[in-house]
Amino acid sequence: MTPLYLDNHLLVVSKPAGMLSQGDRTGDLDLVSWAKAYLKERFDKPGNVFVGLVHRLDRPTSGVVVLARTSKAAGRLSDQFRRRSPDKRYLAVVQGHLGERGEAVDGVVKQEGGGVRVVAPNHPGAQRAALRWRTLAADDRQSLVEVELLTGRKHQIRAQLAARAAPVLGDFRYGEPVPFADGRGIALHAWRLTVEHPTRREPMTFSAPPPPSWNGLFDDAVTRGVAG
C-alpha cells in the first residue's frame, strides 16, 4: 500500500479487500499493524508507534480509511464519526436493479456468527440504519450504485441492499452465491471520505479508485463516478 495522504496527524490509505481493519484471533495481517510497521520504518521510530483506528471497513470491503497518528487526532476524529459528520461514499456492484435513486431506513439487529439482519426500524433492540443510493449504470443482470452512508452500522450497506434483492457481488453472507475476483473481497469500495482535519479544522476529502479486481465492471461509469 502507498499512503493517499500523510502528515503529523493523519495517515490515509486505501485498504485492500481481504485485509482486517484491526487484528483478531486469526493473526492475519491487519491495517493497524501494517500502519505501525510502515510509520516505524518510514520515520525510523524507536519503541511503540501510535496508530488510532477511528472507523473501520469490513474485511472484504476495500477503500479509503483515515488513521490517527496522535491521541489528540484520534479523539477529535472519533468525535466526528460519533456525530456522523464525515461524508462517506461507496461504490457497489449489485445483482439486480434498485431504481434510479432512493433512500433506505431500516433497523438492524446482530446475528450469531457476526452478521446482521434487517428488520423494521421499530423492532425491539434494533439499531437505526440509513443510507441513500443512486444508480450510475446498469445492464441486464447487475447495477453500479453509489451509496451515501448516513449511519455507521456493521454490514449495513451489504445487508440493506441485499434486503432489497440487490446483494453485492461476491457477498456470500448476504445471499450472493457467485465469488467475486479471488474470493477474498466483494464489489464494495469506500471510494470517497470527507473529514475535518483534527488540528487545522478544515474539510479534507480523500478518494481512491476501486482495486484492479474491479477491472471490466462498468469501467466508464466507475471512472465518471469517481471523477464526479
Side-chain angles (χ1 to χ4, degrees), residues 12-215:
V12 185
V13 298
S14 183
K15 184 186 82 67
M19 177 181 273
L20 294 161
S21 291
Q22 190 171 34
D24 67 5
R25 63 180 179 274
T26 66
D28 294 342
L29 178 64
D30 63 278
L31 183 60
V32 171
S33 297
W34 175 90
K36 288 181 177 181
Y38 171 82
L39 292 170
K40 189 176 183 67
E41 181 178 359
R42 171 78 180 263
F43 297 106
D44 194 23
K45 282 182 168 288
N48 294 328
V49 175
F50 180 89
V51 172
L53 183 67
V54 296
H55 70 118
R56 65 189 67 207
L57 297 178
D58 298 339
R59 182 170 190 163
T61 302
S62 59
V64 178
V65 178
V66 174
L67 299 164
R69 292 193 57 201
T70 66
S71 57
K72 178 186 287 187
R76 291 178 177 176
L77 288 167
S78 294
D79 183 60
Q80 290 181 47
F81 283 97
R82 277 194 297 271
R83 292 185 284 110
R84 302 173 187 165
S85 58
D87 183 19
K88 297 177 281 187
R89 305 294 177 109
Y90 291 71
L91 294 175
V93 180
V94 301
Q95 291 289 7
H97 304 94
L98 285 163
E100 183 177 352
R101 61 181 65 238
E103 181 170 332
V105 179
D106 299 305
V108 292
V109 293
K110 293 181 180 180
Q111 298 284 89
E112 289 187 17
V116 299
R117 178 167 58 94
V118 173
V119 296
N122 60 354
H123 187 281
Q127 294 180 308
R128 183 177 180 272
L131 57 78
R132 298 189 187 102
W133 77 82
R134 66 184 179 108
T135 297
L136 302 178
D139 60 23
D140 291 342
R141 298 180 297 107
Q142 55 199 27
S143 308
L144 171 70
V145 295
E146 181 195 48
V147 177
E148 179 185 0
L149 198 55
L150 303 178
T151 56
R153 307 306 182 193
K154 180 179 180 178
H155 292 189
Q156 75 167 90
I157 294 176
R158 300 162 60 185
Q160 287 186 278
L161 297 187
R164 287 156 177 83
V168 175
L169 262 60
D171 197 352
F172 303 127
R173 183 183 289 274
Y174 292 102
E176 171 47 48
V178 180
F180 176 68
D182 59 4
R184 290 175 58 83
I186 59 177
L188 179 62
H189 177 74
W191 78 267
R192 193 180 79 189
L193 176 64
T194 301
V195 297
E196 182 184 87
H197 192 278
T199 59
R200 298 204 298 266
R201 300 299 178 96
E202 61 187 24
M204 299 190 73
T205 297
F206 308 103
S207 63
S213 57
W214 280 50
N215 183 43

